[in-house]
Amino acid sequence: MDGIEQVPVPGKPLTRSTTHFTPIAELAEPLLLDAKIHKYTHQFADIYYSRLKILREALVGVARSKWANIPNQPKHVARLLDVNKGELSYVVGTVYIEMPLKPNILEDIGKDESIAAPPPRPKYCGPDDMMTLEDESGRIKLVGERLQNAGLVTGVIISALGMENAAGEFEVLDFCISGLAPQTPLKASSEGEGEWVGFISGLDIGLSKLASTPTDEDVLLQLLVEYLSAEAGGIEDQSMTSQVSRLILVGNSVIPIVLEDEETTKAKTMMPSRTKYDSSPIEDLTTLVTDICYAIPLHLISGPNDPTGASMPQQPLPRAMFGKELSQLPVERFACESNPAWIGVGDCEILATSGQTLDDICKYVEHEDRLALARSTLLWRHVAPTAPDTLWCYPFIQSDPFILTRSPHIYVIGNQPEFATDVVEGMHHYILRYVLLTYAHFRGEW
């Protein structure tokens, strides 16, 4: 009939790329805790010693190469307490920054309970901070202009070149870090080939019900399902989304559990505050994940708001909480992951974290360049250096699973204020893409 436009249709049927899930057991399994074996009765010092032991060899090699052409060849001193005054040398150790503004659990316990605790500080850094370097033998204070704006945080392993002065301080002339860890090679592919992987963080399902102006969250979630299923949008949109072979939800998929006001609870029941649990966010997430899994495989990474432990590494959400249908799907189709998580797609290795690691690092520096800090974690070869100092983590013994023994091909950090991405290149043609994901709920771009 005249005047009726034809609905545009693709020239050929849309087909979704075949996905290939490749578990990275040697990197992923150390992040999983067995309650029968792992206990919280150990000292946290072990994780620092393990970190230093594992990264020391790489630092010594980098330092020896960097300072090889310095006159009066500086020597490597293996123990900090063996440094000689006035003698040029380099040492390897763990950075520790004394920060008066940093939270102190002993002070919190000692305060009168009748005095309200101060609100958490957005930054820990201040003019009275003091940087030190420590190893198994002891600790030495670091001074020098080279350290100004160095961007170092507690827990980073460095090699420092300098000499001890009359005051017993180590005057730093230069320092170096490990640099990118080795990376497994990727198979060459032509442009446009390969698998596409989608990432979403900060869905915060259930948040609209708590807002003063609630949005129609169910409609937005349904639009997300239709978009990922290549059923929404124009031909170009459908052609693009049909190439997405796997989806990864990077933390904060639901809102945190809400606690009743303590005074209100006591007035009602004469009992301490209790958890006011609402199961609807989990039920809505289950519906969303079920609908998406009909179209594409999905990985669900735990986040700070999700119902799992707060200590890093956060453990995977139990598959059983999502009902019989999802819990019976194979891991290749639906997988609950730890935080951080290593995920292999084909020969591409992906490292994703829900953002607590970068959020905590930002409190140690004055600037807010999160992309630069994300790059630094790769060059430090450690994704969570401030754990366990100010970031809760499990007290590992003789290991530190947050160390990057090898570099991923894609590094994703979720729940950040703004989207940003960049590429870092290393020796032997290593190329690594790192991405900061925003809160999907606040932007409304699901």
Side-chain angles (χ1 to χ4, degrees):
M1 295 176 63
D2 295 337
I4 299 179
E5 293 186 11
Q6 281 191 324
V7 177
V9 295
K12 58 181 180 178
L14 297 176
T15 56
R16 195 174 296 275
S17 302
T18 304
T19 183
H20 302 86
F21 174 55
T22 310
I24 314 174
E26 65 276 19
L27 299 177
E29 289 183 358
L31 295 167
L32 302 177
L33 304 178
D34 186 345
K36 297 180 180 178
I37 302 174
H38 295 89
K39 306 296 181 182
Y40 282 84
T41 56
H42 309 299
Q43 294 292 324
F44 286 100
D46 286 330
I47 194 171
Y48 286 118
Y49 295 149
S50 300
R51 187 180 306 176
L52 178 59
K53 181 180 178 181
I54 295 171
L55 293 177
R56 175 182 275 135
E57 183 178 352
L59 256 300
V60 171
V62 172
R64 185 182 294 116
S65 176
K66 181 176 183 178
W67 299 317
N69 298 323
I70 293 180
N72 301 323
Q73 181 70 37
K75 67 175 184 177
H76 171 228
V77 178
R79 299 171 72 251
L80 287 176
L81 295 187
D82 294 336
V83 172
N84 297 321
K85 290 185 178 180
E87 183 178 338
L88 184 65
S89 60
Y90 61 91
V91 292
V92 176
T94 306
V95 172
Y96 180 78
I97 306 178
E98 292 279 2
M99 311 178 87
L101 300 181
K102 185 175 63 177
N104 188 320
I105 185 61
L106 296 179
E107 291 182 2
D108 294 341
I109 294 175
K111 288 179 180 178
D112 187 349
E113 293 185 2
S114 63
I115 301 176
R121 298 179 183 273
K123 296 287 185 179
Y124 300 150
C125 54
D128 299 325
D129 295 348
M130 181 182 71
M131 186 178 297
T132 62
L133 195 69
E134 62 180 28
D135 64 5
E136 302 91 340
S137 66
R139 180 185 294 182
I140 189 170
K141 182 180 179 181
L142 301 181
V143 295
E145 295 183 359
R146 181 67 178 85
L147 298 176
Q148 295 181 4
N149 301 319
L152 298 175
V153 301
T154 291
V156 174
I157 311 298
I158 68 167
S159 180
L161 173 69
M163 61 183 67
E164 185 178 352
N165 58 26
E169 305 163 333
F170 194 80
E171 188 82 28
V172 178
L173 304 177
D174 196 6
F175 75 91
C176 63
I177 54 180
S178 301
L180 283 183
Q183 187 184 66
T184 56
L186 281 172
K187 296 179 182 178
S189 61
S190 59
E191 186 176 354
E193 292 184 349
E195 301 180 37
W196 287 26
V197 179
F199 297 91
I200 302 176
S201 72
L203 285 175
D204 275 340
I205 295 176
L207 185 62
S208 63
K209 298 177 183 178
L210 302 178
S212 56
T213 55
T215 58
D216 198 341
E217 189 174 75
D218 294 338
V219 174
L220 293 175
L221 291 175
Q222 184 59 37
L223 285 174
L224 174 62
V225 172
E226 293 179 3
Y227 182 76
L228 292 171
S229 302
E231 298 174 356
I235 294 179
E236 292 183 1
D237 295 322
Q238 294 178 4
S239 299
M240 181 182 67
T241 54
S242 66
Q243 298 180 59
V244 178
S245 64
R246 191 169 292 271
L247 178 67
I248 301 176
L249 299 182
V250 193
N252 285 359
S253 297
V254 296
I255 61 171
I257 295 175
V258 179
L259 295 178
E260 289 184 340
D261 181 71
E262 186 171 359
E263 295 301 322
T264 303
T265 307
K266 286 183 178 180
K268 291 180 180 179
T269 64
M270 299 301 293
M271 296 291 288
S273 59
R274 296 179 299 178
T275 301
K276 183 180 180 182
Y277 178 67
D278 179 9
S279 62
S280 59
I282 292 295
E283 294 169 358
D284 292 343
L285 176 62
T286 301
T287 302
L288 173 70
V289 172
T290 302
D291 291 343
I292 292 177
C293 283
Y294 284 133
I296 55 177
L298 183 143
H299 295 259
L300 182 61
I301 298 176
S302 301
N305 289 353
D306 298 323
T308 184
S311 297
M312 301 292 287
Q314 286 187 289
Q315 296 305 285
L317 296 171
R319 285 165 56 96
M321 71 185 297
F322 297 101
K324 184 177 180 180
E325 183 175 359
L326 284 177
S327 60
Q328 291 182 343
L329 289 178
V331 177
E332 293 79 7
R333 197 70 190 179
F334 170 59
C336 293
E337 306 284 357
S338 63
N339 172 33
W342 284 90
I343 301 171
V345 180
D347 59 346
C348 178
E349 297 180 347
I350 301 170
L351 173 61
T353 175
S354 296
Q356 303 101 305
T357 53
L358 187 59
D359 292 343
D360 199 62
I361 291 172
C362 283
K363 297 177 181 179
Y364 282 75
V365 295
E366 295 180 353
H367 65 82
E368 282 291 330
D369 190 348
R370 291 177 176 246
L371 194 63
L373 292 175
R375 182 178 185 272
S376 294
T377 61
L378 297 169
L379 300 178
W380 294 334
R381 298 192 187 182
H382 204 284
V383 297
T386 59
D389 185 39
T390 52
L391 182 65
W392 294 349
C393 80
Y394 174 80
F396 291 94
I397 300 178
Q398 298 180 348
S399 67
D400 183 354
F402 305 114
I403 292 176
L404 294 176
T405 54
R406 72 173 183 250
S407 295
H409 301 103
I410 301 175
Y411 178 38
V412 179
I413 303 176
N415 305 296
Q416 297 302 300
E418 295 180 355
F419 174 83
T421 183
D422 203 351
V423 172
V424 59
E425 299 185 15
M427 298 175 59
H428 310 295
H429 306 289
Y430 298 149
I431 300 178
L432 196 161
R433 166 74 63 179
Y434 54 106
V435 183
L436 306 185
L437 294 179
T438 58
Y439 269 97
H441 191 284
F442 292 153
R443 293 179 65 88
E445 299 175 356
W446 296 5

